[in-house]
Amino acid sequence: MQDTLNPEQQSAVEHIEGPLLILAGAGSGKTRIVTQRVAQLINIGVPVNSILALTFTNKAASEMRYRIRKMASAEILTCTFHSLCARILRESIHYLGYKNDFAIYDADDSLQLVRNCLKTLEIKDDKSTARSVYSAISRAKNDLITPQNLPEPKSHDKNANLLKKVYTLYQQKLKEYNALDFDDLLYLTVELFEKHPQALKRYQNQWNFILVDEYQDTNHAQYRIIQQLAHNHQNLCVVGDPDQSIYSWRGANINNILNFQKDYPNAISITLEQNYRSTNTILNASNAVIKHNQQRYEKNLWSALGDGNPIGLYTAETDRAEASYVHEKIMHHHRNCTPYHDMVIFYRTNAQSRIFEDMLLKYDIPYVIIGGVSFYQRREIKDILAYLRMLVSDSDFLSFARTINLPRRGIGPTTLQKLSTLAETTATPILTLCRDTTIKLSARQRDGIQSYLSLIATLRNQTDLPLEELLIRTIEESGYLSLLKQDPETLEDRKSNLDELIAKAAEWSQTHPNPTLTAFLEELSLSTSADTAKGGDAIQLMTLHNGKGLEFPVTFIVGLEEGLCPHLNSLDDPQALEEERRLFYVGMTRAKIHLYLSCSRYRFLWGTPRAMQPSRFLSEIPESFLDNHSILPGTIVYDEESTGFPPGTLVRHQDFGIGTVKRSYSTSHGPTYDIYFTDSGITRSLVAKYAKLQKWTATN
């Protein structure tokens, strides 16, 4: 960071009275500006207890508090919105008919209360109902919508029709229990200020200078709280960047910052464009991308750090080749003394981590998943792998216990313990024991075990199928997808993770001469038991959302394809598409020195290679900033003469039948073909030395 303030920063620090909008570009030193503004206020005699600084995370609040203490030797109230509101309500909630010693319910407590309300109202809870209603109540509170003011539901929307009843009863119960849920901290503070002006006046007089960090991330309730507190003195300084507004799914409203000067006509606006993090090549490319958005203030980031290296752009033939490219670049930088912890791999969705985890495990490179769970430790992956283990073992009690109630079959903890004890004392495999009809069980439990045994037997009869198809059958026939649908908020992520597991099975099968289920499970167990770094020197893997506020000398953004980034759900929504572009922009501006972007022409989805289109965002980067990398040796190089069957050749595979070669090329495993199989209508990528293909003609 620079020793002295630049002119724009100096202006932001020296502004005292009236509304101020600081448009702080990525890497422009905004935390330092906020800190120095506070110090400036204290230095001119503003009482410490009349300054309020708000941010979004306890970590950010703690860091700001530390910096202010170090610079100004003073303690001001620096906290999150929720902490501020809890403080206000502890003092003044009696105006709303609550006692000041209210309890604050966490998400689990709140969800349980919703379930109790459904029961009271005699509404059937099919698991997804409670979660869906709870999410809807949370959204309504953040938008300051009371139960009475809910929009009229559509006649076909079952949950919306019952929402008003449940929301009303839910709020009654909370008040009866003298409890608040997390959203009430904001929701009730706004209600307090609107209905009891004497309470509002107290806090307006208490905090004469208010600073808000990351203003682009405020939701409607937070916006109203700030508007109410600053209404009289309007000594409000907000810091933010519309180009980094990426949390609409959490209720953030980009219009709060875009309309600031409309809300406060006397506001002064200062734009911080000098970046102290990245090279000009990275910044110019980022500027070129974000200019395609309409919802923004115009600004151009620049740096005094020089042009730096061109941005690496690699179009891989397959997702595995993409991972090989990332590995080669990681090792190049590590050999040149870049610590692993100075490198990051960004992806759009958590499911995309799998192939990179596999690569890092293979080469024994330490890594840590930030803000997520390692692929093989995710619940749905462990659930389906446990099902697969039951297809090869009668004795695996842990896998049995994990899957017997997926879905529910009435086998509770007491019965499980009884079965475990019996199996142990009689030295009988658990499935053999379950087949014993003399064991005393209720009719429901007996039916549940019989349905489980029938499922396992059905799946065992299909273990000669290709691994990826067996996985698909296991997911479908076990009813596991129906189970995932009970939690709509996580459904898409968990389905994507299962897609990746199927892709893993397909890839693994093609690279192993004897791809048995037992061997597959064994290799996964050995790989996932490898020690991965929990700290220290380790590559960091995370979604683009989790990268906000971070920076890395070496940055990879992978999977830049239509449907991934931008995400499939955004393609028909212009506003959502702009947010996807902002998300990519945030990823680009995390890079300090080296930025690598990659995409794949083919990606395994549900065990099948699918043709992918490069992300539109890549075409928005001027070519002058890019280094289009040639295809790496040892990954994929087209060489049709060296491969046995040219495109158009009819071939036969002993399991998949007759197909047409669509593409032939060489990989690190030798000649490889993309073959379209007529019977299944699926195109598969097969390695010649393992696939044992036969040329097929009409005379065959």
Side-chain angles (χ1 to χ4, degrees):
M1 185 67 185
Q2 83 280 17
D3 294 327
T4 59
L5 299 175
N6 65 42
E8 292 76 22
Q9 291 174 328
Q10 192 69 43
S11 297
V13 167
E14 292 177 351
H15 177 274
I16 302 299
E17 294 185 313
L20 173 65
L21 169 63
I22 302 176
L23 293 167
S28 61
K30 69 180 180 64
T31 305
R32 186 180 189 213
I33 303 312
V34 170
T35 305
Q36 294 215 4
R37 249 188 80 78
V38 171
Q40 173 78 355
L41 292 172
I42 293 170
N43 288 340
I44 65 171
V46 174
V48 169
N49 62 4
S50 68
I51 304 172
L52 169 65
L54 292 170
T55 188
F56 276 83
T57 66
N58 289 318
K59 181 181 177 183
S62 179
E63 181 183 352
M64 194 181 298
R65 199 178 301 119
Y66 169 78
R67 291 196 186 193
I68 292 169
R69 189 186 306 123
K70 188 175 180 181
M71 181 172 291
S73 301
E75 290 279 353
I76 71 162
L77 180 55
T78 306
C79 60
T80 65
F81 277 90
H82 288 88
S83 296
L84 172 72
C85 292
R87 178 191 184 108
I88 290 170
L89 293 174
R90 287 286 178 209
E91 296 171 343
S92 303
I93 201 171
H94 57 276
Y95 285 106
L96 299 176
Y98 291 77
K99 296 178 183 176
N100 295 73
D101 61 348
F102 57 82
I104 299 175
Y105 281 1
D106 64 16
D108 288 341
D109 294 331
S110 302
L111 183 60
Q112 185 56 52
L113 181 56
V114 169
R115 290 193 176 114
N116 293 347
C117 291
L118 290 172
K119 189 174 181 179
T120 300
L121 294 168
E122 298 183 340
I123 298 169
K124 184 180 179 183
D125 178 13
D126 61 3
K127 297 298 177 185
S128 65
T129 303
R131 287 189 180 278
S132 179
V133 170
Y134 174 51
S135 295
I137 291 173
S138 177
R139 288 192 298 272
K141 287 186 178 182
N142 283 322
D143 288 336
L144 302 179
I145 299 172
T146 65
Q148 296 72 31
N149 292 332
L150 284 170
E152 285 300 315
K154 297 176 182 177
S155 58
H156 64 274
D157 191 335
K158 179 189 71 172
N159 286 345
N161 277 306
L162 59 86
L163 176 59
K164 188 170 186 176
K165 291 181 183 177
V166 181
Y167 187 5
T168 301
L169 181 59
Y170 176 75
Q171 288 304 102
Q172 290 173 358
K173 290 291 184 184
L174 282 171
K175 195 163 189 177
E176 179 185 334
Y177 301 158
N178 197 42
L180 277 60
D181 68 16
F182 203 59
D183 299 306
D184 276 332
L185 295 173
L186 305 178
Y187 176 74
L188 292 181
T189 298
V190 175
E191 183 179 337
L192 171 72
F193 288 169
E194 289 181 345
K195 293 183 177 178
H196 301 279
Q198 67 272 40
L200 171 60
K201 186 176 181 180
R202 169 186 173 181
Y203 297 106
Q204 287 174 333
N205 292 337
Q206 182 169 338
W207 296 304
N208 300 129
F209 291 87
I210 301 173
L211 299 95
V212 184
D213 194 16
E214 305 288 6
Y215 191 67
Q216 78 280 348
D217 293 336
T218 51
N219 62 28
H220 185 58
Q222 291 160 335
Y223 164 82
R224 284 290 295 135
I225 289 166
I226 293 304
Q227 195 176 53
Q228 290 164 322
L229 286 175
H231 181 266
N232 292 340
H233 55 69
Q234 296 212 348
N235 295 327
L236 172 63
C237 170
V238 303
V239 187
D241 181 6
D243 290 339
Q244 297 185 72
S245 178
I246 57 174
Y247 297 120
S248 67
W249 48 277
R250 290 199 317 215
N253 187 347
I254 191 175
N255 291 311
N256 292 348
I257 191 168
L258 292 176
N259 293 335
F260 185 81
Q261 289 174 294
K262 188 182 297 182
D263 294 335
Y264 301 91
N266 297 325
I268 291 174
S269 175
I270 297 173
T271 303
L272 305 182
E273 295 179 306
Q274 184 172 357
N275 174 287
Y276 296 91
R277 173 189 300 154
S278 309
T279 64
N280 273 314
T281 295
I282 292 169
L283 297 177
N284 289 335
S286 303
N287 290 334
V289 170
I290 203 63
K291 281 181 185 295
H292 287 78
N293 273 6
Q294 300 297 315
Q295 289 187 297
R296 65 186 301 265
Y297 287 111
E298 182 63 31
K299 70 175 184 303
N300 282 287
L301 298 183
W302 63 275
S303 171
L305 299 177
D307 289 342
N309 301 294
I311 296 168
L313 173 60
Y314 181 63
T315 302
E317 192 67 19
T318 68
D319 42 8
R320 290 169 62 195
E322 181 185 29
S324 296
Y325 166 75
V326 172
H327 168 251
E328 193 231 335
K329 291 300 176 186
I330 287 172
M331 297 316 297
H332 166 75
H333 288 292
H334 194 58
R335 286 192 296 268
N336 285 281
C337 301
T338 301
Y340 286 131
H341 65 254
D342 279 347
M343 300 186 236
V344 66
I345 301 173
F346 284 128
Y347 35 78
R348 176 63 179 83
T349 64
N350 279 308
Q352 292 169 258
S353 77
R354 193 274 304 172
I355 200 161
F356 296 96
E357 288 191 66
D358 282 353
M359 175 267 290
L360 295 167
L361 286 166
K362 176 181 177 182
Y363 294 106
D364 199 25
I365 298 173
Y367 71 91
V368 60
I369 304 284
I370 304 296
V373 180
S374 177
F375 181 81
Y376 294 108
Q377 296 303 312
R378 292 171 193 163
R379 186 186 74 198
E380 59 277 11
I381 301 302
K382 292 174 75 73
D383 287 347
I384 295 303
L385 290 179
Y387 258 124
L388 292 181
R389 289 190 192 98
M390 293 310 299
L391 305 189
V392 296
S393 172
D394 275 7
S395 304
D396 187 344
F397 183 80
L398 288 180
S399 294
F400 170 79
R402 188 176 187 101
T403 56
I404 184 64
N405 283 311
L406 297 175
R408 289 184 180 274
R409 295 185 177 91
I411 311 299
T414 302
T415 305
L416 272 176
Q417 184 57 52
K418 174 184 174 181
L419 292 172
S420 174
T421 302
L422 267 174
E424 185 177 345
T425 55
T426 61
T428 306
I430 184 63
L431 288 192
T432 304
L433 189 73
C434 287
R435 296 183 189 106
D436 185 349
T437 56
T438 65
I439 297 173
K440 290 185 179 179
L441 295 169
S442 69
R444 182 179 178 225
Q445 290 169 336
R446 175 58 61 193
D447 288 344
I449 283 180
Q450 286 303 319
S451 73
Y452 181 80
L453 291 173
S454 176
L455 170 66
I456 297 301
T458 299
L459 292 173
R460 282 182 174 182
N461 288 333
Q462 301 177 68
T463 51
D464 57 345
L465 290 172
L467 271 178
E468 64 271 24
E469 294 187 25
L470 177 62
L471 255 170
I472 292 170
R473 298 283 181 90
T474 301
I475 293 166
E476 291 176 346
E477 296 185 24
S478 66
Y480 194 77
L481 281 181
S482 298
L483 196 65
L484 294 185
K485 289 176 183 175
Q486 294 175 7
D487 188 354
E489 290 186 13
T490 66
L491 174 62
E492 291 305 318
D493 278 347
R494 297 192 182 281
K495 279 177 65 178
S496 295
N497 289 335
L498 292 177
D499 285 353
E500 276 299 310
L501 183 61
I502 294 164
K504 167 69 177 178
E507 293 171 8
W508 187 88
S509 295
Q510 291 173 18
T511 56
H512 288 73
N514 184 29
T516 65
L517 176 59
T518 302
F520 177 66
L521 292 171
E522 180 180 305
E523 181 166 312
L524 285 191
S525 297
L526 292 173
S527 296
T528 57
S529 65
D531 291 333
T532 58
K534 299 299 179 186
D537 192 23
I539 300 281
Q540 300 191 53
L541 277 70
M542 67 186 82
T543 64
L544 287 163
H545 280 103
N546 282 319
K548 180 80 181 300
L550 303 178
E551 58 183 44
F552 300 90
V554 179
T555 298
F556 299 90
I557 307 180
V558 301
L560 290 169
E561 297 138 32
E562 291 290 298
L564 285 179
C565 185
H567 194 275
L568 184 65
N569 294 343
S570 71
L571 299 183
D572 296 325
D573 183 343
Q575 289 191 352
L577 192 57
E578 288 210 353
E579 182 156 334
E580 290 291 303
R581 186 177 283 107
R582 292 195 292 269
L583 187 58
F584 178 52
Y585 171 83
V586 165
M588 294 178 74
T589 54
R590 300 311 93 195
K592 296 175 69 174
I593 304 171
H594 301 283
L595 174 60
Y596 297 99
L597 311 175
S598 61
C599 60
S600 174
R601 289 193 180 99
Y602 283 86
R603 186 170 296 279
F604 273 90
L605 297 172
W606 283 89
T608 303
R610 304 284 176 88
M612 306 296 287
Q613 293 295 320
S615 169
R616 68 191 69 192
F617 303 150
L618 294 176
S619 65
E620 295 169 0
I621 302 173
E623 289 188 12
S624 58
F625 302 131
L626 297 173
D627 177 12
N628 277 286
H629 293 192
S630 59
I631 296 175
L632 297 175
T635 54
I636 294 183
V637 180
Y638 283 103
D639 182 10
E640 294 183 0
E641 291 183 5
S642 68
T643 57
F645 299 125
T649 306
L650 281 176
V651 294
R652 181 182 180 278
H653 184 274
Q654 65 178 17
D655 295 324
F656 305 139
I658 299 168
T660 303
V661 176
K662 294 297 184 183
R663 181 174 291 180
S664 57
Y665 47 90
S666 293
T667 70
S668 56
H669 300 290
T672 304
Y673 308 105
D674 289 350
I675 303 172
Y676 174 76
F677 289 96
T678 308
D679 289 347
S680 63
I682 291 174
T683 298
R684 299 179 183 276
S685 298
L686 304 182
V687 178
K689 66 181 177 181
Y690 301 135
K692 299 179 181 177
L693 298 166
Q694 294 177 320
K695 189 172 182 179
W696 192 257
T697 65
T699 57
N700 290 114

